[in-house]
Amino acid sequence: MKKLLVTGGAGFIGSNFVHHWLTQHPGDRLVVLDALTYAGNMTNLSGIAQRNEFRFVQGDIGNTSLVESLLRDEAIDTLVHFAAESHVDRSIHGPDAFIEANVLGTHSLLKAARKVWLDEKTVPEHRFHHVSTDEVYGSLGPEDPAFSEITPYAPNSPYSASKAASDHLVRAYHHTYGLKVTTSNCSNNYGPYHFPEKLIPLMIVNILEGKALPIYGDGRNVRDWLHVTDHCRGIELILQKGRVGEVYNIGGGSEAENIYLVRTLCAIMDEKFAGDHALKARFRNAPAANGNPSNSLMTYVKDRPGHDRRYAINCHKIETELGYRAQVKIDAGLRSTVDWYLNNESWWRAVMDGSYRQWVAKQYSA
Ligand code: NAD
Ligand code: TYD
């Protein structure tokens, strides 16, 4: 039986991981530490928050003494670190928050883990798993081979630079102090509970609301899309069988240009609306509610500064060593994601207008 501390467990990938882990490992203890920034949302954990094996702590990973007491008091043996500022566009406009959370925050966790696990030896075995991104490897040309674990780091945005710095700190705490770490670098995730500022959920919500679909530059940038459940399965395999000190890339094997993705979402939506009067009545501003194609909303806008052209992941290592296989094909994954947003309108409206915070305040006020 493991005792996990999951940082950032109220965010997009973290909350999917919490759902996945508690379903697969019902006897395990799981504590979430999350600051509940704009991206963290307790409703992502609804259905879990009341379970005995689960505890939620609202707090900052930069609070080293809080992390130490959680590791000690809960006899945590496994730390899975998702907490971060995660949106490239925000990092361009305000890099400081990224240095604070991603670099200093990760260092605070490492210091706490070193003190409690290595100095105080509270548990016989421990593991610090660091969740990182393929963006640390920089940008690929159209013919370049996909990123592997030995591709040199070349981060281009304040976000990816802050993640790269955190990866180096994790590596250093293993080599210098003997902390038992693993790191995963994965490609762009999509799926349920994705905050509608990232490409896929933003496009879904904007189509429904009849708002412009902003395509940066020529829209030909390529990302390697990974369904969030495949990412969670990859991390689970690393925790179970991964070698200490190693890095594993996790990818979806689904490279796609942004415009392909947006056109596909538009086509899925047009299909859903066709003949569905209830949907047309719910979303009156959607073009498809009025017989127009959703792709009429596609609008080319000024490119993101320093926009990486292409990401692609070579996940041969995790496939051969740990038996990982991405299971969700992109077209099926996009369809199920559209369905999730159609079935969870109250979720995306609440996270976008911030009203879930009132609910949090009620639940967690002292
Ligand atoms: P997210 O922005 O949806 O969630 C981040 C969570 O961390 C939120 O719940 C937020 O409240 C919390 N948080 C932020 N700063 C904190 C702090 N100082 N202390 C405690 N909690 C804090 O992010 P996500 O998309 O779920 O990404 C999770 C991790 O996965 C990140 O480390 C990110 O770099 C990495 N990653 C994401 C993707 C992707 O496609 N989303 C791809 C590769 C790697
Ligand atoms: P994003 O979801 O922000 O992830 P990342 O920048 O970490 O890859 O963006 C995915 C791609 O979509 C990226 O090439 C930028 C592009 N994009 C748009 O064209 N329009 C948008 O409104 C957003 C948010 C992203």
Side-chain angles (χ1 to χ4, degrees):
M1 184 188 141
K2 284 191 195 307
K3 295 183 175 174
L4 288 86
L5 178 63
V6 178
T7 72
F12 162 47
I13 307 173
S15 63
N16 275 282
F17 178 81
V18 171
H19 284 281
H20 177 83
W21 194 272
L22 288 177
T23 306
Q24 300 300 320
H25 309 272
D28 285 359
R29 172 80 169 154
L30 195 154
V31 179
V32 164
L33 173 64
D34 196 299
L36 297 181
T37 67
Y38 78 95
N41 183 352
M42 279 305 294
T43 61
N44 296 0
L45 297 169
S46 54
I48 285 178
Q50 320 307 335
R51 284 169 65 163
N52 286 337
E53 66 271 40
F54 178 82
R55 177 179 168 199
F56 177 79
V57 178
Q58 182 170 4
D60 199 304
I61 54 170
N63 183 344
T64 315
S65 57
L66 169 65
V67 179
E68 282 172 11
S69 9
L70 289 174
L71 292 176
R72 210 178 276 127
D73 299 348
E74 292 279 351
I76 298 291
D77 51 34
T78 305
L79 193 157
V80 190
H81 176 32
F82 293 95
E85 288 293 334
S86 67
H87 190 38
V88 174
D89 292 326
R90 284 179 188 258
S91 83
I92 293 168
H93 295 112
D96 299 64
F98 288 70
I99 305 305
E100 188 74 39
N102 302 358
V103 185
L104 300 178
T106 301
H107 189 229
S108 161
L109 291 177
L110 289 164
K111 282 193 293 183
R114 180 186 168 204
K115 179 159 185 212
V116 174
W117 284 341
L118 297 181
D119 297 350
E120 299 174 15
K121 299 186 174 44
T122 52
V123 287
E125 280 301 328
H126 68 264
R127 175 71 71 86
F128 186 113
H129 181 73
H130 177 54
V131 179
S132 192
T133 166
D134 61 356
E135 304 194 23
V136 298
Y137 299 122
S139 184
L140 293 169
E143 305 303 328
D144 289 340
F147 302 129
S148 79
E149 290 79 0
I150 56 167
T151 302
Y153 274 34
N156 289 321
S157 71
Y159 164 66
S160 52
S162 68
K163 292 297 291 186
S166 67
D167 295 5
H168 292 322
L169 286 167
V170 171
R171 176 189 161 90
Y173 265 67
H174 172 64
H175 283 269
T176 305
Y177 304 116
L179 197 69
K180 294 186 176 172
V181 307
T182 39
T183 295
S184 48
N185 294 84
C186 83
S187 54
N188 286 64
N189 285 217
Y190 68 100
Y193 303 116
H194 204 181
F195 194 88
E197 65 179 351
K198 308 277 172 67
L199 181 71
I200 289 178
L202 180 72
M203 297 297 145
I204 293 175
V205 165
N206 281 9
I207 293 171
L208 294 173
E209 304 227 275
K211 292 185 180 162
L213 308 179
I215 315 289
Y216 298 165
D218 64 1
R220 307 285 305 273
N221 303 67
V222 172
R223 299 292 183 261
D224 180 353
W225 294 95
L226 172 69
H227 194 273
V228 65
T229 54
D230 279 328
H231 186 190
C232 295
R233 280 192 275 269
I235 295 173
E236 181 182 31
L237 282 171
I238 296 170
L239 289 174
Q240 290 170 327
K241 303 196 270 179
R243 286 181 293 139
V244 167
E246 291 293 318
V247 172
Y248 295 90
N249 282 355
I250 308 177
S254 297
E255 279 189 64
E257 288 184 346
N258 294 339
I259 39 174
Y260 167 82
L261 212 70
V262 176
R263 284 187 185 131
T264 305
L265 290 170
C266 289
I268 293 172
M269 212 59 102
D270 291 349
E271 233 180 72
K272 298 245 167 235
F273 272 77
D276 186 334
H277 297 296
L279 212 49
K280 288 180 186 173
R282 270 174 71 197
F283 300 104
R284 290 175 196 283
N285 294 328
N290 304 295
N292 297 315
S294 301
N295 66 18
S296 58
L297 296 171
M298 285 173 73
T299 308
Y300 289 86
V301 299
K302 194 165 168 278
D303 208 354
R304 171 190 279 172
H307 194 175
D308 285 339
R309 192 66 175 167
R310 175 176 165 239
Y311 303 143
I313 283 268
N314 171 342
C315 45
H316 184 72
K317 181 174 173 181
I318 192 170
E319 287 180 349
T320 50
E321 262 189 37
L322 309 183
Y324 167 83
R325 287 282 176 286
Q327 291 175 12
V328 183
K329 299 270 177 272
I330 181 83
D331 289 328
L334 290 177
R335 276 180 188 282
S336 64
T337 303
V338 167
D339 284 339
W340 191 88
Y341 282 81
L342 286 174
N343 294 331
N344 291 277
E345 183 185 351
S346 57
W347 178 88
W348 54 262
R349 290 207 186 279
V351 301
M352 290 174 82
D353 73 14
S355 62
Y356 79 91
R357 288 183 183 281
Q358 292 162 11
W359 181 86
V360 171
K362 244 202 288 175
Q363 300 284 315
Y364 291 93
S365 57

